[in-house]
């Protein structure tokens, strides 16, 4: 059984950002150094806008698979996938489907046709731009905290460029049986994100997200075993540091392991779970190196490729261990 511990998850208000930027930066840096997770309030995206985006996502996932398959996943990290993401922590597919969206040329011919959901592309991009605005607010604080020029990270994540990689992921975790049937289910196995920063939207009452801090350096693939539940609240944005920002900060900021836990106890949530994750990824040619130059300089494209190789190696090791048993 999972061991749970209570950990304070910092809550940061972005209210009056221009006059409170020093205070907000201090809170953000502290949360990044000590927890790796925090929640945002007063971020400027209304509950109505969030619920509207969730309604669009649910409309997409309710379409027949043959329609969703007209926008298939491809290696540029865009498109629809189902029961296909395997985590090194579990060696088994997550029980979910997702549709990954980007701003630029990678989405060519991969936007759902409006004949299926009217205004889908326009509405998604409108929401994506709002979340990008929140992200850029945080990037200014991170740049200040690390001694970079204030616009440094914003420029590295310029979504107007054709080689932008930032991705919004619409997620649908399938409802699971309440009665034991001998099968093991993994909603989303334990993992750390590869990106700069993830902003996650959840629906009230659809619980399951859990965090587990642990690594001291970004090159490790260790996972601890004491978890903390993060309750789902529609208006709050849950943020976590990704591996890329951990590396960019010379391991000062912590990329935290997290998962969406399959139910195993009374009170756990068994129904369909929807969430929206916004992954801030630097442009492919962005130069990534921390102020202390702890790691060799890499481009955004190279960092992603290395992260995928490390993830694949860890997965292969997990599969070999499962076969041995």
């Amino acid at each position: 059984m999972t061991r749970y511990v209570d950990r304070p998850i910092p809550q940061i208000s972005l209210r009056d950002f221009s006059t409170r930027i020093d205070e907000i930066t201090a809170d953000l840096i502290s949360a990044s150094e000590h927890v790796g997770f925090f929640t945002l309030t007063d971020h400027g995206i209304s509950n109505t806008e969030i619920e509207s985006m969730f309604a669009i996502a649910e409309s997409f996932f309710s379409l027949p698979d043959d329609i969703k398959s007209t926008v298939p996943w491809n290696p540029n990290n865009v498109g629809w996938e189902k029961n296909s993401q395997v985590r090194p922590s579990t060696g088994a597919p997550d029980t979910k489907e997702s549709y990954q969206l980007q701003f630029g040329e990678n989405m060519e011919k991969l936007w759902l046709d409006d004949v299926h959901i009217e205004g889908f592309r326009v509405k998604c991009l409108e929401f994506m731009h709002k979340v990008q605005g929140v992200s850029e607010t945080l990037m200014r604080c991170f740049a200040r905290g690390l001694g970079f020029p204030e616009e440094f990270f914003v420029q590295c994540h310029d979504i107007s460029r054709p080689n932008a990689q930032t991705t919004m992921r619409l997620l649908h975790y399938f409802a699971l049986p309440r009665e034991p049937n001998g099968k093991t289910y993994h909603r989303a196995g334990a993992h750390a994100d590869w990106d700069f920063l993830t902003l996650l939207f959840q629906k009230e009452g659809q619980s399951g997200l859990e965090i587990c801090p642990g690594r001291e350096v970004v090159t490790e693939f260790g996972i601890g075993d004491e978890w903390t539940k993060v309750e789902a609240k529609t208006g709050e944005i849950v943020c976590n540091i990704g591996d890329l920002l951990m590396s960019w900060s010379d391991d000062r900021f912590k990329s935290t392991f997290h998962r969406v836990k399959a139910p195993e106890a009374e009170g756990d949530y068994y129904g369909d779970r929807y969430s929206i994750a916004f992954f801030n990824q630097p442009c492919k040619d962005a130069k990534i190196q921390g102020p202390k130059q702890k790691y060799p300089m890499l481009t955004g494209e190279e960092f992603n490729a290395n992260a995928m190789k490390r993830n694949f190696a860890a997965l292969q090791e997990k599969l070999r261990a499962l076969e041995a048993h």
Side-chain angles (χ1 to χ4, degrees), residues 51-61 117 120 123-124 170:
E51 291 286 7
S52 177
M53 191 64 239
F54 272 119
I56 292 169
E58 290 182 40
S59 295
F60 172 79
F61 291 121
I117 300 175
F120 181 84
K123 292 172 183 175
C124 287
L170 310 179

Side-chain angles (χ1 to χ4, degrees), residues 21-324:
I21 187 170
D22 291 337
E23 175 191 347
I24 292 169
T25 296
D27 290 344
L28 189 64
I29 298 307
S30 176
S32 301
E33 289 178 335
H34 299 112
V35 185
F37 254 73
F38 53 91
T39 62
L40 293 179
T41 60
D42 306 311
H43 43 70
I45 304 177
S46 70
N47 277 25
T48 300
E49 290 169 319
I50 295 169
E51 291 286 7
S52 177
M53 191 64 239
F54 272 119
I56 292 169
E58 290 182 40
S59 295
F60 172 79
F61 291 121
S62 67
L63 294 170
D65 284 2
D66 62 344
I67 293 177
K68 289 181 285 191
S69 65
T70 62
V71 287
W73 187 88
N74 75 28
N76 286 320
N77 204 30
V78 292
W80 173 70
E81 60 80 27
K82 180 179 181 181
N83 291 328
S84 63
Q85 187 164 19
V86 181
R87 310 283 186 180
S89 57
T90 63
D94 293 346
T95 51
K96 64 170 174 55
E97 60 180 330
S98 70
Y99 185 20
Q100 301 191 172
L101 311 171
Q102 293 183 9
F103 291 93
E105 61 185 14
N106 286 340
M107 285 300 295
E108 186 177 352
K109 298 182 180 179
L110 286 171
W111 281 104
L112 181 73
D113 194 308
D114 273 12
V115 71
H116 303 300
I117 300 175
E118 186 177 354
F120 181 84
R121 177 176 181 170
V122 170
K123 292 172 183 175
C124 287
L125 282 170
E126 181 180 344
F127 188 79
M128 290 164 69
H129 278 284
K130 288 180 180 293
V131 186
Q132 177 69 15
V134 177
S135 299
E136 291 180 358
T137 296
L138 301 177
M139 288 176 194
R140 292 184 172 90
C141 296
F142 284 126
R144 282 174 161 237
L146 290 172
F148 290 114
E150 189 169 311
E151 295 296 314
F152 177 73
F153 289 132
V154 174
Q155 293 167 357
C156 289
H157 294 79
D158 185 352
I159 57 171
S160 70
R161 298 187 59 200
N163 63 1
Q165 299 184 103
T166 289
T167 302
M168 184 171 80
R169 189 177 201 184
L170 310 179
L171 288 147
H172 172 214
Y173 299 93
F174 305 121
L176 299 175
R178 287 183 173 273
E179 299 299 325
N181 60 6
K183 295 182 180 179
T184 300
Y185 296 92
H186 299 283
R187 287 200 139 170
H191 63 283
D193 292 341
W194 302 339
D195 64 336
F196 180 88
L197 180 74
T198 303
L199 285 73
L200 179 72
F201 297 84
Q202 302 185 94
K203 283 180 70 71
E204 198 95 21
Q206 296 184 5
S207 61
L209 179 63
E210 300 177 355
I211 68 168
C212 178
R215 293 181 304 166
E216 288 302 313
V217 295
V218 75
T219 51
E220 292 178 351
F221 204 90
I223 301 176
D225 60 0
E226 292 185 336
W227 293 83
T228 298
K229 297 182 179 183
V230 182
E231 289 306 312
K233 297 181 180 178
T234 300
E236 291 183 359
I237 305 176
V238 180
C239 302
N240 66 275
I241 305 301
D243 283 359
L244 193 142
L245 180 52
M246 187 171 178
S247 176
W248 224 332
S249 69
D250 301 305
D251 293 328
R252 180 179 166 190
F253 302 157
K254 305 306 180 186
S255 174
T256 305
F257 277 87
H258 51 286
R259 66 186 182 187
V260 179
K261 185 72 174 64
E264 65 176 17
E266 187 67 28
D268 285 350
Y269 182 70
Y270 286 81
D272 291 280
R273 172 186 156 93
Y274 296 90
S275 64
I276 301 168
F278 191 87
F279 300 102
N280 287 281
Q281 295 269 29
C283 296
K284 290 182 178 180
D285 60 355
K287 300 293 192 298
I288 297 162
Q289 190 174 48
K292 296 182 179 179
Q293 301 182 351
K294 181 175 181 178
Y295 298 107
M297 182 176 288
L298 295 172
T299 65
E301 187 172 27
E302 290 168 339
F303 189 94
N304 276 0
N306 288 349
M308 290 177 70
K309 289 176 185 175
R310 192 168 71 247
N311 189 73
F312 182 75
L315 176 59
Q316 295 303 108
E317 183 178 342
K318 176 68 174 184
L319 294 176
R320 284 194 293 270
L322 290 173
E323 289 173 359

